Amino acid sequence: MTDPKHILIVGAGFTGAVVARQLAEAGHRVLVIDERNHVAGNCHTERDPETGVMVHVYGPHIFHTGDDGVWRFINDHCTMMPYRHQVRAVVRGQVYSMPINLHTINQFLGTNLSPAEAQARITDLAESTITDPQSFEEQALKFVGRDIYEGFFRGYTRKQWGVDPTRLPAAILKRLPLRFTYDDNYFAHPYQGIPKEGYTAAVDSILRHPGIELRTNVSAEDTDTASFDHTVYTGPLDRYFQHRLGRLSYRTLRFERDVRPAPHQGTAVLNYCDEDVPYTRITEHMYFAPWEVQSFEKSVLYTEYSAAAGPDDIPYYPVRLIDDKALLTQYVSLAQNTPKVTFAGRLGSYAYLDMDVSIRRAMDVADMLKTSFDRNQPPKPFVHDI
Ligand SMILES: Cc1cc2nc3c(=O)[nH]c(=O)nc-3n(C[C@H](O)[C@H](O)[C@H](O)COP(=O)(O)OP(=O)(O)OC[C@H]3O[C@@H](n4cnc5c(N)ncnc54)[C@H](O)[C@@H]3O)c2cc1C
């Protein structure tokens, strides 16, 4: 390596922590700041003081990946416990298995169909007149027909996105995960698990390196970025530019905490698909730790509500409709003209990224930075298409 750099990383979520670690291992000095009072960003977990249950504070997080390198990396920083995610959905007072599988189809139709019979039945139900679907709704109707669409998708989508599925692009539903078997594993990836001590302990371990200094409760806006050789910014892209072109839209979430005698719900996540139920899902956190689930007398549940994010709300899901994409293009060109800053992570690239993808992309960002520093070239503002 040539001369070691002094790097500022804004955000101590998975993205910031992984970039910091890789740069520190390459011999650079790194300061990581986060305005929250904890690391791990939206993956933060903590013990609920009343029940002792490990709570996924910003919503349920399950680690799943097919990426060998990412799986090795995360296993170097925590003990991953086996966990298979299952989700149930409540539709008009009935509980169904998700994602839609042979059990769901047979239950919904009141039948005992074989895989081939179910497939034929779904083909009958699907609206074959739709050849070039233009919206999420048309795409769903083309795949499963009106009854299943209205039962499982319409109300849930309207609650989750605050937009009618007729206004959402068809591309969101490129493929519908319909299964003609009784397999109810929510994720198909070969590696799945949950860190034994939670995600925050895993991110703490990633950040534990003599080349990394961590400061929480510190925002980028209160930091003199000019004194660093380079900044990796994992906060919201529009916020970096003081929202000067307008705000990129996000959905935010509100969680209502409830403590009940354990067990209460009987599973980790129950989705509520009907539109007249105001929340989208209820999470019973103790089921994310099957290895300790027997030990609790009280259980903590979060009822989740989705809404448009206001200026003071936590941004969760990027909306990315047509107007946002146009605004995003303008922010990207501002970023491309901002020297000494690389934008990364789910907020820096205004994209929904699973944890494994965030880690892989963070590794790519660190590789790009190391190469640029070695060659004395200016680092790129973005490494991936956004
Ligand atoms: C409800 C929900 C459920 C999810 N479930 C899963 C799941 O089951 N499996 C999965 O793989 N992925 C899941 N994800 C995705 C996962 O949360 C992301 O992959 C991960 O959080 C990305 O990490 P990040 O570091 O890019 O961003 P973040 O975790 O958001 O970290 C960014 C950090 O930057 C800090 N920050 C921002 N701006 C500033 C600033 N100006 N100054 C200082 N600090 C700042 C923030 O405080 C935050 O701590 C889920 C996401 C959501 C919203």
Side-chain angles (χ1 to χ4, degrees):
M1 189 184 68
T2 45
D3 118 64
K5 303 287 183 208
H6 193 199
I7 314 292
L8 172 68
I9 298 196
V10 178
F14 265 113
T15 303
V18 171
V19 177
R21 179 71 184 215
Q22 311 257 312
L23 293 180
E25 284 181 357
H28 299 289
R29 271 191 314 128
V30 185
L31 171 65
V32 179
I33 59 167
D34 200 299
E35 63 186 353
R36 294 181 181 173
N37 63 1
H38 59 76
V39 301
N42 272 12
C43 307
H44 173 53
T45 45
E46 65 186 26
R47 290 265 171 212
D48 178 68
E50 186 181 353
T51 60
V53 170
M54 188 68 87
V55 167
H56 295 205
V57 177
Y58 301 93
H61 277 75
I62 296 92
F63 202 96
H64 54 99
T65 189
D67 185 324
D68 291 317
V70 167
W71 186 243
R72 267 197 307 277
F73 178 86
I74 192 74
N75 277 277
D76 283 345
H77 292 286
C78 66
T79 305
M80 267 292 177
M81 300 298 280
Y83 178 83
R84 282 278 181 272
H85 195 45
Q86 292 171 314
V87 173
R88 304 279 181 263
V90 180
V91 177
R92 298 170 201 139
Q94 288 277 329
V95 181
Y96 295 94
S97 174
M98 291 296 274
I100 296 178
N101 60 61
L102 195 49
H103 197 171
T104 327
I105 295 166
N106 275 326
Q107 227 187 328
F108 193 76
L109 301 176
T111 51
N112 179 18
L113 303 174
S114 69
E117 289 166 340
Q119 210 153 356
R121 188 67 181 276
I122 293 290
T123 308
D124 282 350
L125 293 173
E127 292 195 6
S128 55
T129 50
I130 302 173
T131 48
D132 182 19
Q134 295 299 311
S135 65
F136 179 104
E137 176 169 294
E138 286 184 0
Q139 186 80 309
L141 292 174
K142 177 173 174 278
F143 279 128
V144 289
R146 186 156 296 277
D147 282 355
I148 293 179
Y149 161 67
E150 287 189 346
F152 291 92
F153 297 101
R154 188 168 181 275
Y156 193 87
T157 307
R158 283 172 64 104
K159 288 192 289 185
Q160 175 79 357
W161 294 104
V163 175
D164 195 84
T166 51
R167 288 188 46 215
L168 290 171
I172 292 186
L173 203 67
K174 276 197 195 87
R175 196 176 59 85
L176 200 85
L178 274 191
R179 295 183 188 156
F180 296 101
T181 67
Y182 287 95
D183 176 9
D184 65 352
N185 275 323
Y186 199 72
F187 299 113
H189 278 135
Y191 305 119
Q192 301 184 35
I194 294 205
K196 188 171 182 195
E197 304 303 334
Y199 291 101
T200 302
V203 175
D204 266 331
S205 160
I206 298 171
L207 289 167
R208 211 172 303 125
H209 185 284
I212 301 176
E213 184 192 347
L214 168 70
R215 290 189 206 154
T216 48
N217 296 309
V218 175
S219 81
E221 290 77 3
D222 297 334
T223 306
D224 173 20
T225 53
S227 61
F228 294 86
D229 294 310
H230 195 76
T231 297
V232 177
Y233 184 85
T234 76
L237 180 59
D238 53 349
R239 176 172 162 186
Y240 182 89
F241 297 103
Q242 298 89 40
H243 306 104
R244 72 176 80 142
L245 306 173
R247 286 180 180 272
L248 293 167
S249 13
Y250 277 94
R251 300 294 288 173
T252 193
L253 301 176
R254 180 169 65 80
F255 300 102
E256 248 173 41
R257 179 177 171 279
D258 197 11
V259 171
R260 296 293 177 97
H264 179 70
Q265 180 170 264
T267 192
V269 177
L270 266 186
N271 286 354
Y272 285 82
C273 300
D274 300 337
E275 207 177 339
D276 55 358
V277 176
Y279 41 86
T280 50
R281 57 182 177 176
I282 299 181
T283 298
E284 185 164 16
H285 292 266
M286 68 176 194
Y287 288 105
F288 292 127
W291 57 95
E292 58 184 36
V293 76
Q294 300 301 335
S295 58
F296 301 113
E297 283 172 13
K298 291 196 271 183
S299 182
V300 58
L301 296 103
Y302 278 16
T303 302
E304 188 172 321
Y305 298 81
S306 172
D312 298 324
D313 292 322
I314 298 176
Y316 280 85
Y317 296 110
V319 176
R320 273 190 172 249
L321 289 182
I322 292 163
D323 291 352
D324 295 305
K325 284 196 178 153
L327 191 54
L328 177 60
T329 308
Q330 296 178 43
Y331 276 117
V332 167
S333 71
L334 274 185
Q336 272 155 348
N337 290 304
T338 305
K340 292 184 22 172
V341 184
T342 295
F343 297 85
R346 63 177 200 98
L347 298 166
S349 48
Y350 188 58
Y352 178 85
L353 307 175
D354 273 329
M355 289 180 277
D356 63 326
V357 178
S358 303
I359 292 174
R360 171 52 65 196
R361 288 185 169 208
M363 291 171 164
D364 295 344
V365 168
D367 285 345
M368 180 279 292
L369 290 172
K370 286 187 280 184
T371 310
S372 306
F373 297 147
D374 284 348
R375 293 184 184 159
N376 251 329
Q377 287 171 345
K380 293 185 211 159
F382 296 100
V383 173
H384 301 95
D385 290 343
I386 65 171

